[in-house]
Amino acid sequence: MTNNIKWWQKAVVYQVYPRSFQDANGDGIGDLKGIEQRLDYIQKLGADVIWLNPIYASPDKDNGYDISDYEDINQKFGTMADFDDLLEKAHDKGLKILMDLVVNHTSDQHQWFIESRSSKDNDKRDFYIWRDPVDGHEPNNWGSFFSGPAWKFDEATGQYYLHLFVEGQPDLNWANPEVRQAVFDMMNFWVDKGIDGFRMDVISLISKPDGLPDGEVPNNGEYGNSDKAVANGPHVHDYLQEMRQKVLNRADMMTVGEASGVDITNAVRYANTDGSELNMVFQFEHMGLDNNPNPALSKWYDKKVSLVDLKENLSKWQNELAGKAWNSLYWDNHDQPRAVSRYGDDRPEYRVVSAKMVATLLHFLQGTPYVYQGEEIGMTNAYNLKREDFDDVEIKQAFKYLVEKTKLVDENTMLNYVHAKGRDNARTPMQWDDSENAGFTTGTPWLKLNSNYDSINVQEALADKNSIFYYYQKLIRLRHDMPIITTGIYELLDAQDAEVYAYRRVGEKDQLLVINNFTDQKLTREYHVPSDAKLIISNYSDDQGETLRPYEAKVYLFKK
Ligand code: TEU
Ligand code: CA
């Protein structure tokens, strides 16, 4: 495999959430010009690819994941000329641009939907999924991912339309070949501009099961869990193969499918190494390990992840994709809480050391790592946000349905859940310095900042040679320099050890031994480390051998 490594197998991706990265014009919202100003920063970190969350025209019912025109830029972010400029400047610096592709649904303000809802015999009627009521109710029991039913009754024509996310996000009907062709044409518009790939939003949901059968209804819940009922439908692989032929094969691009509800069997098909579909998928199993056991409360929970479970899960993905498909590696993104708060320890005395430890664990695995903006400086969950500060539609819907309507939880419990798992934890503005609004904007930020920006910010990180930032820079450099990190065989050590996550990566001549203390305790562990082993990275300044200090992480390189 060493000889035919693809560029995206060695690459590290930096995810930019444009709304919260850098505001260049003082309106409180991050924008394309702002990203352009910060390209040097991303380059300094050493990332190869920038994934931009959606920047297309959108009424922003779900922060850009409801697109009203795929070939236009959201005015809040700038113009198409700004985009062309950004793409050119990024390419000049050797940075690639990965665009978010949101084609499971459009906005209800998209021209296709406006026409589709206008009458039952409109040309575009069949672009979306319309059904008659059944006994005066929704056509089936599917629930929206964001609480409530997945169907909206439309008075004008007396039918329901399907929306797996919010009402303003009607699902496209991929069974209609005209829909597929329209999507492929739009994708080719972007390919022709010279972008470097796509991150495909909920791509595992585009093919709906035949007959749209009811899903399993969770305990106490009103509606079925759409993820289980809808993911990996009967034609999804055909559609992606068609996309590959009509769009993706036109350039040497990188593709990553966001695949909620994906298991190993399906991932091996989506991300197969013969290149007929996608390069890799985002799987969600390790994101669900701390979920509430009550399916009606699905993602809302605040217990710590069990290390034994985490090891079992990540090891399964490492082992079972090896040689057949390709992993993407991530701890967080714009939908998840902050990595250091969830997997590390964000108390001041442990924040830096534990952020480096979780980074070490991830960056020595096989796959393509993703760094979400702010992760590289150890930004934490935003515990200072109150109910009235939240912007995220998922959080708002949760308060509305789970607290007010079904009364499954009280307001305080919900607030705790949101502080642990809510999406706004990741969406507070980037913390550049300790000036007012952290150097993000001179105006009023669209979402409140995390109050800890006075001590956690880029300026401070760049001035400290032991910062998390420079540790990430080193991790990225090591990956670029050492093929074994891309190709070595993964071997978990001591699966039942609930405190230390240790593994090996075995190459042709060498091996890496990666040791991570997941606790705030001093531990003793004995591993076989030859005397000529080289310590290539560690989050402590000295090596105490068998003694592992709180959250200590270290990696040795030695002969096989
Ligand atoms: O997220 C899809 C997805 O699977 C979500 O249900 C995710 O699990 C949830 O947001 C976690 O809280 C994608 C986008 O990343 C997200 O921002 C969008 O809201 C969603 O699709 C709809 O487009
Ligand atoms: Ca702006």
Side-chain angles (χ1 to χ4, degrees):
M1 164 175 185
T2 319
N3 297 325
N4 50 19
I5 299 178
K6 308 275 198 318
W7 68 264
W8 43 265
Q9 292 181 304
K10 272 201 321 216
V12 175
V13 182
Y14 187 79
Q15 183 188 348
V16 168
Y17 195 65
R19 195 171 306 257
S20 296
F21 198 55
Q22 177 68 65
D23 175 22
N25 66 352
D27 66 356
I29 306 169
D31 43 46
L32 297 176
K33 281 278 166 250
I35 300 170
E36 196 178 310
Q37 290 167 11
R38 297 295 186 178
L39 287 176
D40 287 340
Y41 171 75
I42 299 170
Q43 192 180 36
K44 187 178 175 87
L45 182 65
D48 307 278
V49 182
I50 299 172
W51 154 25
L52 293 179
N53 284 103
I55 53 166
Y56 316 95
S58 165
D60 280 335
K61 292 275 158 43
D62 182 21
N63 285 8
Y65 281 94
D66 48 320
I67 297 170
S68 52
D69 186 346
Y70 289 103
E71 298 181 14
D72 198 5
I73 301 291
N74 190 331
Q75 287 173 10
K76 292 174 185 165
F77 298 152
T79 63
M80 192 59 88
D82 294 339
F83 175 80
D84 293 339
D85 223 37
L86 175 63
L87 185 65
E88 196 186 320
K89 297 272 170 20
H91 284 170
D92 286 348
K93 293 180 192 294
L95 292 163
K96 296 182 189 286
I97 300 275
L98 193 67
M99 299 293 282
D100 220 310
L101 178 78
V102 188
V103 290
N104 173 68
H105 43 266
T106 68
S107 160
D108 63 354
Q109 301 305 306
H110 193 289
Q111 195 53 38
W112 297 339
F113 190 74
I114 293 173
E115 287 180 39
S116 182
R117 91 188 311 174
S118 68
S119 83
K120 278 184 168 172
D121 51 18
N122 184 276
D123 273 0
K124 297 274 188 306
R125 185 65 171 182
D126 204 28
F127 261 51
Y128 294 85
I129 300 172
W130 293 96
R131 290 292 183 277
D132 287 326
V134 174
D135 301 328
H137 291 287
E138 287 87 5
N140 69 23
N141 73 352
W142 292 358
S144 153
F145 276 79
F146 297 149
S147 313
W151 295 94
K152 171 79 179 164
F153 187 69
D154 202 45
E155 295 285 345
T157 53
Q159 286 192 311
Y160 284 90
Y161 69 83
L162 179 70
H163 62 89
L164 292 178
F165 294 90
V166 295
E167 278 175 27
Q169 292 169 303
D171 280 55
L172 281 165
N173 176 19
W174 274 71
N176 179 350
E178 284 179 44
V179 167
R180 301 202 295 275
Q181 195 53 52
V183 168
F184 300 153
D185 290 345
M186 172 277 282
M187 291 175 75
N188 279 323
F189 166 87
W190 289 98
V191 175
D192 290 340
K193 274 191 177 287
I195 64 154
D196 304 287
F198 294 102
R199 173 270 186 190
M200 303 183 184
D201 192 58
V202 288
I203 205 70
S204 55
L205 304 181
I206 59 177
S207 169
K208 312 305 190 237
D210 295 331
L212 311 186
D214 278 350
E216 202 184 304
V217 180
N219 302 335
N220 310 317
E222 296 176 288
Y223 301 100
N225 180 331
S226 297
D227 207 331
K228 288 213 180 69
V230 188
N232 312 306
H235 304 293
V236 64
H237 299 289
D238 301 335
Y239 299 158
L240 290 176
Q241 285 162 25
E242 188 182 347
M243 182 192 286
R244 182 86 195 193
Q245 282 152 22
K246 294 192 172 157
V247 182
L248 304 174
N249 280 344
R250 295 182 56 236
D252 180 17
M253 288 193 294
M254 162 173 175
T255 52
V256 50
E258 191 208 24
S260 83
V262 75
D263 55 12
I264 296 271
T265 316
N266 261 297
V268 167
R269 296 186 65 185
Y270 288 121
N272 67 73
T273 39
D274 28 285
S276 60
E277 298 185 24
L278 306 175
N279 297 149
M280 62 191 106
V281 290
F282 288 126
Q283 58 89 10
F284 281 88
E285 288 184 352
H286 68 299
M287 291 285 118
L289 297 173
D290 51 2
N291 278 2
N292 198 308
N294 176 352
L297 296 174
S298 60
K299 70 173 264 178
W300 301 111
Y301 213 42
D302 56 3
K303 74 169 186 199
K304 273 275 173 200
V305 179
S306 131
L307 184 60
V308 172
D309 292 350
L310 184 66
K311 283 180 182 180
E312 187 191 340
N313 190 265
L314 292 178
S315 301
K316 178 180 83 177
W317 283 89
Q318 288 289 300
N319 294 330
E320 297 191 26
L321 258 49
K324 296 185 207 148
W326 192 251
N327 273 295
S328 43
L329 309 169
Y330 71 100
W331 285 136
D332 55 7
N333 58 41
H334 65 293
D335 292 332
Q336 301 293 337
R338 290 285 180 179
V340 68
S341 301
R342 187 179 196 172
Y343 299 99
D345 187 334
D346 63 14
R347 288 176 292 172
E349 65 272 40
Y350 296 123
R351 186 184 64 88
V352 172
V353 73
S354 72
K356 292 175 182 172
M357 182 276 292
V358 295
T360 311
L361 168 48
L362 191 94
H363 281 256
F364 282 93
L365 293 173
Q366 184 170 57
T368 300
Y370 290 73
V371 179
Y372 178 68
Q373 67 179 44
E375 180 188 330
E376 77 285 6
I377 56 165
M379 279 177 63
T380 70
N381 279 0
Y383 306 114
N384 58 306
L385 267 56
K386 305 269 184 320
R387 180 166 175 184
E388 60 276 15
D389 299 322
F390 296 116
D391 166 87
D392 173 29
V393 67
E394 182 181 46
I395 296 175
K396 289 184 173 164
Q397 291 274 98
F399 275 107
K400 185 169 145 197
Y401 279 90
L402 305 177
V403 178
E404 272 138 37
K405 188 150 182 269
T406 61
K407 301 190 170 35
L408 278 171
V409 288
D410 61 58
E411 168 141 4
N412 218 21
T413 309
M414 193 67 229
L415 189 63
N416 288 335
Y417 285 167
V418 170
H419 281 155
K421 298 287 282 292
R423 305 198 295 183
D424 280 341
N425 286 305
R427 297 179 179 186
T428 60
M430 184 69 183
Q431 297 166 199
W432 295 103
D433 57 42
D434 63 2
S435 70
E436 203 188 346
N437 295 321
F440 163 70
T441 182
T442 53
T444 308
W446 71 277
L447 178 67
K448 209 174 191 170
L449 282 119
N450 190 318
S451 50
N452 62 20
Y453 72 82
D454 55 342
S455 58
I456 302 174
N457 61 62
V458 169
Q459 191 180 42
E460 177 268 346
L462 293 180
D464 172 6
K465 68 179 187 351
N466 291 316
S467 68
I468 302 167
F469 178 90
Y470 291 118
Y471 195 87
Y472 268 83
Q473 188 186 57
K474 184 165 179 188
L475 288 170
I476 295 170
R477 197 180 324 122
L478 286 171
R479 176 169 290 261
H480 289 153
D481 291 349
M482 300 177 66
I484 190 175
I485 302 177
T486 306
T487 59
I489 293 166
Y490 170 91
E491 271 176 29
L492 177 67
L493 302 173
D494 310 319
Q496 294 309 315
D497 187 333
E499 297 169 318
V500 179
Y501 192 148
Y503 62 88
R504 304 198 305 154
R505 296 292 306 283
V506 184
E508 275 160 33
K509 298 194 188 105
D510 299 323
Q511 61 177 301
L512 294 166
L513 172 62
V514 184
I515 303 168
N516 298 286
N517 178 357
F518 246 78
T519 73
D520 59 4
Q521 301 296 305
K522 200 179 229 192
L523 307 172
T524 308
R525 290 291 186 280
E526 208 181 307
Y527 298 99
H528 172 72
V529 184
S531 56
D532 62 348
K534 190 176 165 218
L535 183 68
I536 60 168
I537 193 166
S538 164
N539 57 357
Y540 277 80
S541 57
D542 63 335
D543 184 3
Q544 295 190 355
E546 293 173 8
T547 303
L548 298 177
R549 286 151 289 183
Y551 300 110
E552 182 160 356
K554 53 184 176 179
V555 182
Y556 296 103
L557 172 69
F558 49 93
K559 291 267 168 287
K560 211 161 115 177

